[in-house]
Amino acid sequence: MTVSSEPRPGAMRDTETELHDPLSSGFPATVEGRLLFWIAFVFSVFQIATAAHLWDLPSQIVRAVHVGFLCLLGLPLVAVIKNESRPVRTLFWLLGLIGAAVAAYQWWEYKALIFRAGSPLPQDTVVGIVALAVIFIATWRIMGAALPIIAGLFLAYCLFGEYLPAPFVTRGYGLDQVIDHMAFGTEGIYGTPIYVSSSYIFLFILFGSFLERAGMIQLFTDISLGLVGSAKGGAAKVAVISSALMGTISGSGVANVVTTGQFTIPLMKRFGYRAAFAGGVEATASMGGQIMPPVMGAVAFIMAETLDVPYAAVVQAALIPALLYFGSVFWMVHLEAGKRNLVGLSKAELPSPLAALKRGWYLLLPLGVLVWLLFTGYTPLYAGTIALALTGLLILGSPLSAHIPVKALRYVFWIALGLAAAAFFQYGILPVVAALVVLVAVCAIFRGGRATLALTRDALSEGAKTALTVGIACAIVGIIVGTMTLTGVATTFGQFIVSVGDTSLFLSLVLTMVTCLILGMGIPTIPNYIITASIAGPALLALGVPLIVGHMFVFYFGILADLTPPVALACFAAAPIAKTSGLKISFQAIKVATAGFVVPFMAVYTPALMLQDGGPLAAEIGYWPAVAYIVVKACLAIGLWGAAAIGYLLAPLRWWERAVAAAGAFMLVAALPVTDELGFAICAAFIAWHLFAVRRSAAATPAAPSPLAARD
């Protein structure tokens, strides 16, 4: 069993980062730690059984049990990891058990609660109050005080909004009505966010956990090193590519930082990158994992469910912006390497990407199947179940295959497993379950098989622990969404955004961006997106912004909030690894993440950037020409922003050259009459001048091959 009293290598130990992630350590090696380990294991088994329809339960019961497990596991786990006093640990064990008891009440009274919906009994109100109290405490313990305070203000608005002045006054709601709305049914803590958490998100977290333990991180790192390790500034480029690849299996930016960052940040520092810049690159690239198809982050699943669109539609909208985002980060580290004359790694010490693929190609099979299923119209729940089952077959089948001496028989073995997996499409989950049961039984016989079973068991428990933060956030944010559906307060704020947009759409977008960034100072991406999208999404739609583009706009700035000071969660996660201030890393991350701030604005004015219909440009020149035009324009804008931010292109730039580059980039982003023409003209003039200056400098000092390279 993977338990430890110390955090995993490089885990966040300082006060600031532990405030953000108290679950960064493994399961403690104590009696309580082992008990929590097995609770987490049972949690994962329950979620898999219900997702695969091995145990068919009503959705409301699944949601309630999901929240019950979150409380039972999360509340005592934080106390045990922090090694708090015995009375404190006892208190949080008691609160966790109360959270589980609320789930049991919901299950036992399921049909009766449906019949008395809207007219709760006094005991229902008491149970509802207890449920809300436990959720608030769990959120405070796991995620800090900011989100409970915000949710508490929304809950207070439901109860006391009738005493506020117009336009915020409500008609008044009784305590029993508010509690019934928030703690029962599907509008409050058991609303859409927790539904998505209990189905899609949990499965995909387990999927990533299995692949990581099977060696996917090492595979991605070896491929990245082999591809770009020897290039100029190769150490940082490895960080960008490995984080982008990790984003395909892990939608958590912070998890990405503390996994790939363990290797990439020290590597960047060793090859000359400043500590703050190295941390900023890793934080920026890791946060991009949430927008990197095919898996993206948990928000993508919530967005698909909220907008009632196929998950593939969300992936389609994210594809070009994600490529631009990572292309921008790659460009920034290339410029920084040129400015500081940072060379790549020696080819002799780099792994071969082809050899790495040859060793671990089979790990890509579940990912390939997942992508194919998502893009051929299957639901994320169905696709995730199949991908997870296939991963389990591969992991459990590997030690058996290694014990088959005849190569031909090994081929027969893998073909048989492939047929068992393919039987899912025709006969459902039972053939796959039968194959998994046989593999488990056989693996239990020999030592290598037992080690693999232990790895699988650990992946299930670690996956449940990883899901705690996401699940708790989805539960408490249901209170905020429930307030909006009960009171209609979102309409009030939305009308304000629309009124601002009548004067300037740009100002409405800036207002929405600032709201996302401010909320992101205290809450994670998921509740940030849900709150802001609920308020600003309909308002932006009323201003002519396509619905999915408006939601993606909010999504992007919710992610960037984790890079912006003063909180900058991803940056503080990188701080102990980089051994520098999280605030310094944050300022570097903002510089590196230029595209994240530019692309969403460009997409609003030209939806073709997100492969969406609409916008004047597409109407004027056609859809695909508009896509090509906006991509070229975005690339130029990113190129100029990067040169201005770093102060280097082919050679160091003077202050006025940086100002000209920034002006050209701004003109390309601004969607005003003649700004495109001015932007292209400034871009052409700047590049021509820079080439002339570089050649003139080289001609003046022929003995020095790169006379400006050392100039800062």
Side-chain angles (χ1 to χ4, degrees), residues 623-678:
Y623 178 70
W624 287 111
V627 171
Y629 176 84
I630 191 63
V631 168
V632 169
K633 192 171 79 155
C635 289
L636 282 174
I638 289 168
L640 291 176
W641 277 123
I646 300 295
Y648 185 91
L649 191 55
L650 297 175
L653 301 176
R654 299 174 179 85
W655 69 268
W656 63 266
E657 292 172 316
R658 296 171 74 170
V660 170
F666 178 78
M667 289 296 176
L668 290 172
V669 174
L672 300 171
V674 308
T675 52
D676 278 9
E677 292 82 352
L678 283 172

Side-chain angles (χ1 to χ4, degrees), residues 497-512:
I497 294 177
V498 171
S499 67
V500 173
D502 287 340
T503 306
S504 170
L505 174 60
F506 180 76
L507 290 178
S508 289
L509 295 174
V510 170
L511 179 62
T512 304

Side-chain angles (χ1 to χ4, degrees), residues 464-516:
K465 182 166 75 72
T466 302
L468 282 174
T469 303
V470 175
I472 286 293
C474 287
I476 199 165
V477 84
I479 295 171
I480 299 169
V481 176
T483 299
M484 294 177 183
T485 57
L486 183 65
T487 66
V489 67
T491 305
T492 303
F493 192 78
Q495 288 172 346
F496 174 69
I497 294 177
V498 171
S499 67
V500 173
D502 287 340
T503 306
S504 170
L505 174 60
F506 180 76
L507 290 178
S508 289
L509 295 174
V510 170
L511 179 62
T512 304
M513 176 189 75
V514 171
T515 302
C516 289

Side-chain angles (χ1 to χ4, degrees), residues 56 60 67 213 352 508 536 591:
D56 281 316
Q60 184 69 25
V67 174
R213 287 181 173 270
S352 164
S508 289
K591 182 168 70 174

